[in-house]
Amino acid sequence: MVERETWTRQMDFIMSCVGFAVGLGNVWRFPYLCYKNGGGVFLIPYMLIVFIGGIPVFFLEIALGQFMKQGGVSAWNIAPLFKGLGLASMVIVFFCNTYYIMILVWGLYFLIHSFTTPLPWATCGHPWNTPNCTQDFRRTCHNRSTVQPALPSSTANPATLSHLSSTPTFNLSSTQLIINGSCVETEGMRSPVIEFWERKVLRLSGGLDEPGEISYQMVLCLIVTWVIVYFCIWKGVKSTGKVVYFTALFPYLVLVVLLAHGVTLPGALDGIVYYLKPDWSKLGEAQVWIDAGTQIFFSYAIGLGALTALGSYNRFHNNCYQDAFVLALINSGTSFFAGFVVFSVLGFMAAEQGVDISKVAESGPGLAFIAYPKAVTLMPLAPLWAALFFFMLLVLGLDSQFVGVEGLITGIIDMLPPKSALGSLRREVVVAVCCVTCFLIDLSMVTEGGMYVFQLFDYYSASGITLLWQAFWECVVVAWVYGADRFMDDVARMIGYRPLPYMKWCWSYITPLVCVGVFLFHVVNYKPLTYNTQYTYPLWGEALGWGLALSSMLCIPVTVLYKLLRCKGSLRERWQHLTTPVWGRHHLEYLAPESEAKLLPPAGAKSTLLFESVI
């Protein structure tokens, strides 16, 4: 039996977890949620759910990997009946790896275009621009008494994007009236940054049923990104552990530089006040608590199996309990800090354009690819700040991407029969097959209808619903099937002392209840998917989305049923047999000889049960 790899030093594990869990969600989603849900008040439900939901499940996944010394699937040998949990996490992380890389592809495309003066999204007159394009962001008509040409603000609110794109072309000489010293805008004018994003980068078609042509520039960016990911992880954790030192730390350096620059801009203070200003009435709204719960499960990368895979490379006696708290502090701290960076720039942008901050505040790709690029065009040395921002975006996403792929590879390799032809495949080959498979699916996202495919994956395959379902079952299986006290004893064997009893209470009662509550809220308030509030997905598109969601969610009940039906004996005997852990050889040193637990046979044994099948 091959000895399992371990991290060269413990800091490699910490950096890999930071690289994976601290991603784009911290920078582009948390600040927006904070502003939307009552500013500083949002931190109350956020911190509460961090302690009763985020940290307990985060710790559970790392400890499970470290204890079982197995990846996301085989770690559930702790209760073999529920091995479907591992399969579900593999399906989710596979989908994540497939669509998440598109954000890096767009970031790389913007980065390449950042080395020009002026920036291509700062001006009109390019082949992709329409006659409606206008680049004058300022409302210059205040206190004037004459009729001005129509130069409206190009506020890039995603809710208005498709509305603008669907308006007929207007002549640039159309007029703008002045009533009581304020501007009355003629609709239809578009900013160059929106046109660059929609008409040059996405080349957006009319809908999901209009895939259009493949963009070969995007295909090149996609190939480059996958090649980088491949060579970062092909040799295993020894190479991944080195790369993450750069990819995890560099974004912090850039965030500090961007903040130092951001606070010197006019209007920055207004933006930061807007970000933190508490609105106590929001605490009574269910949506605020739901947003807090969903954001934590997203940003802590729970339910993807990758944390279990990273934990499996730890030394057996590593203090993973301490690590879980340190990593949670880093993750949430980064989210909070990123808010200052984002809102100092949005405050400046609102001041420059003479509009309210709510008009420029956005979340998701709208912030990274519309609001921030537009803000950069208003700064001196625009190409420098654009290049710095998109390089940070690329690095921030890359480590999340290759640790996600690492989690998938670890799960697959642990599942392959050791003595078979598949089991003898070199790691490099398995990584290549996974990367090429994801790349082929990604080709559907570099077409003219690619954004609709991307959003379908984003909304359904790794959504709040699937992650909450996953986290609920993880807690139930460890706390009620294997036994919370029993798992606490196992953790004590690894770290030398028992964790606080609050962990046990969370796994047993509090976290599952939080997951069920947020899950039900999501289901009850389900709304059909739309793009920019204008384009509603067709029924078959929605069915496809639910297919993506259910492909992971059904893994758990289907596997349980299959195993129970295949097993012999009474229902009680089947349950007892299928919930008896399958131990690895490293557990022998402290398992009692009379233990009834099944043991994996030693390396040389001529046994047919060297490998327990996936199902």
Side-chain angles (χ1 to χ4, degrees):
M1 186 175 277
V2 182
E3 190 66 31
R4 192 173 188 82
E5 276 187 293
T6 54
W7 301 104
T8 312
R9 53 184 92 68
Q10 197 48 38
M11 192 48 80
D12 293 3
F13 166 69
I14 297 285
M15 285 298 168
S16 293
C17 284
V18 168
F20 182 57
V22 176
L24 298 169
N26 301 66
V27 174
W28 76 18
R29 188 167 155 79
F30 177 84
Y32 177 78
L33 287 178
C34 208
Y35 136 75
K36 176 189 150 203
N37 292 314
V41 168
F42 182 66
L43 296 174
I44 296 170
Y46 180 83
M47 291 311 295
L48 188 66
I49 297 176
V50 160
F51 281 100
I52 63 172
I55 293 175
V57 185
F58 193 82
F59 171 53
L60 186 150
E61 291 196 5
I62 292 173
L64 181 68
Q66 184 173 313
F67 179 65
M68 295 301 289
K69 288 274 179 219
Q70 294 288 328
V73 177
S74 304
W76 292 102
N77 275 334
I78 200 165
L81 177 61
F82 292 92
K83 219 165 177 181
L85 261 169
L87 292 178
S89 69
M90 293 277 283
V91 173
I92 295 172
V93 85
F94 172 72
F95 288 144
C96 263
N97 293 340
T98 304
Y99 82 84
Y100 188 86
I101 203 158
M102 284 309 300
I103 301 164
L104 309 185
V105 171
W106 297 328
L108 180 62
Y109 191 79
F110 268 88
L111 178 64
I112 292 165
H113 284 82
S114 296
F115 297 101
T116 55
T117 308
L119 293 168
W121 58 84
T123 57
C124 296
H126 300 281
W128 60 82
N129 291 127
T130 62
N132 309 38
C133 181
T134 179
Q135 63 201 60
D136 194 334
F137 296 123
R138 299 166 191 265
R139 296 188 169 189
T140 54
C141 59
H142 290 300
N143 305 321
R144 305 260 187 100
S145 56
T146 54
V147 176
Q148 296 284 332
L151 298 173
S153 156
S154 54
T155 302
N157 193 322
T160 65
L161 293 192
S162 51
H163 167 64
L164 287 172
S165 62
S166 62
T167 4
T169 304
F170 281 87
N171 192 312
L172 280 179
S173 64
S174 57
T175 57
Q176 185 173 47
L177 305 174
I178 296 155
I179 299 171
N180 298 330
S182 65
C183 302
V184 179
E185 296 162 9
T186 307
E187 288 187 350
M189 308 309 287
R190 312 194 72 214
S191 87
V193 70
I194 296 176
E195 294 211 334
F196 181 79
W197 170 239
E198 288 193 352
R199 297 176 63 84
K200 174 69 172 161
V201 181
L202 300 179
R203 299 174 311 123
L204 208 55
S205 71
L208 191 62
D209 51 351
E210 298 175 30
E213 296 174 2
I214 286 180
S215 165
Y216 291 103
Q217 289 178 316
M218 283 297 171
V219 172
L220 283 174
C221 289
L222 187 63
I223 292 169
V224 169
T225 318
W226 270 119
V227 167
I228 293 170
V229 170
Y230 177 79
F231 284 108
C232 283
I233 66 163
W234 69 321
K235 290 293 185 189
V237 294
K238 297 284 191 244
S239 63
T240 312
K242 300 296 172 288
V243 178
V244 288
Y245 276 89
F246 172 72
T247 57
L249 294 174
F250 178 76
Y252 288 98
L253 177 67
V254 179
L255 282 173
V256 169
V257 172
L258 289 175
L259 180 65
H261 177 248
V263 292
T264 63
L265 299 169
L269 190 62
D270 296 336
I272 290 168
V273 167
Y274 206 77
Y275 166 51
L276 293 176
K277 188 179 177 185
D279 177 1
W280 297 99
S281 65
K282 292 279 188 183
L283 278 180
E285 293 179 18
Q287 186 63 50
V288 174
W289 295 82
I290 301 307
D291 280 347
T294 311
Q295 171 64 10
I296 285 157
F297 282 96
F298 266 122
S299 72
Y300 277 50
I302 284 166
L304 302 178
L307 293 173
T308 310
L310 294 178
S312 74
Y313 296 118
N314 279 337
R315 292 185 309 281
F316 190 74
H317 294 294
N318 169 58
N319 191 340
C320 54
Y321 181 57
Q322 182 182 298
D323 289 349
F325 281 94
V326 170
L327 288 164
L329 181 69
I330 293 170
N331 196 325
S332 295
T334 306
S335 298
F336 187 60
F337 177 68
F340 289 94
V341 181
V342 170
F343 273 85
S344 64
V345 172
L346 293 181
F348 158 71
M349 194 167 149
E352 280 289 290
Q353 296 178 217
V355 294
D356 192 64
I357 296 174
S358 60
K359 293 282 196 299
V360 294
E362 292 180 30
S363 174
L367 175 69
F369 299 116
I370 297 174
Y372 210 101
K374 188 162 67 171
V376 164
T377 62
L378 305 174
M379 298 176 188
L381 297 173
L384 170 70
W385 298 110
L388 204 57
F389 175 75
F390 286 112
F391 189 53
M392 180 197 75
L393 197 76
L394 201 59
V395 170
L396 203 57
L398 261 179
D399 50 12
S400 298
Q401 179 71 20
F402 60 65
V403 176
V405 179
E406 177 66 63
L408 181 69
I409 304 300
T410 304
I412 290 171
I413 288 175
D414 286 346
M415 281 171 7
L416 295 175
K419 293 289 175 79
S420 71
L422 283 173
S424 60
L425 277 178
R426 288 171 63 87
R427 179 193 163 89
E428 291 90 327
V429 177
V430 178
V431 177
V433 169
C434 285
C435 289
V436 169
T437 306
C438 290
F439 169 78
L440 293 173
I441 297 172
D442 285 330
L443 289 177
S444 67
M445 297 183 206
V446 291
T447 60
E448 290 169 19
M451 186 61 177
Y452 303 110
V453 180
F454 171 84
Q455 202 179 20
L456 205 61
F457 270 80
D458 184 43
Y459 193 75
Y460 289 102
S461 68
S463 64
I465 288 180
T466 53
L467 298 183
L468 289 159
W469 173 262
Q470 188 76 1
F472 169 78
W473 282 107
E474 284 180 9
C475 290
V476 167
V477 171
V478 168
W480 295 101
V481 179
Y482 182 73
D485 281 312
R486 194 176 172 190
F487 193 65
M488 292 282 272
D489 291 340
D490 295 335
V491 171
R493 286 192 183 102
M494 292 192 293
I495 66 175
Y497 60 92
R498 279 174 76 91
L500 289 170
Y502 117 88
M503 280 292 177
K504 184 176 76 176
W505 301 331
C506 284
W507 294 334
S508 304
Y509 308 103
I510 304 169
T511 310
L513 284 174
V514 169
C515 291
V516 168
V518 180
F519 178 87
L520 289 176
F521 186 90
H522 269 296
V523 173
V524 170
N525 291 298
Y526 171 75
K527 291 182 182 69
L529 180 59
T530 61
Y531 179 71
N532 283 346
T533 71
Q534 293 292 308
Y535 172 74
T536 304
Y537 278 67
L539 206 58
W540 63 268
E542 229 175 308
L544 204 62
W546 277 109
L548 293 172
L550 293 173
S551 62
S552 64
M553 292 169 74
L554 290 177
C555 283
I556 302 166
V558 167
T559 310
V560 167
L561 279 172
Y562 178 83
K563 285 194 164 220
L564 283 171
L565 292 171
R566 283 290 304 273
C567 199
K568 291 179 174 61
S570 68
L571 191 62
R572 187 173 179 179
E573 285 168 347
R574 293 181 200 190
W575 174 267
Q576 190 136 16
H577 173 68
L578 289 169
T579 54
T580 304
V582 178
W583 297 123
R585 293 180 68 214
H586 66 285
H587 292 115
L588 284 169
E589 58 192 77
Y590 64 77
L591 270 179
E594 66 276 6
S595 169
E596 294 175 17
K598 292 180 281 184
L599 282 167
L600 289 176
K606 291 183 180 177
S607 168
T608 52
L609 189 77
L610 258 171
F611 160 68
E612 207 196 1
S613 70
V614 179
I615 297 209

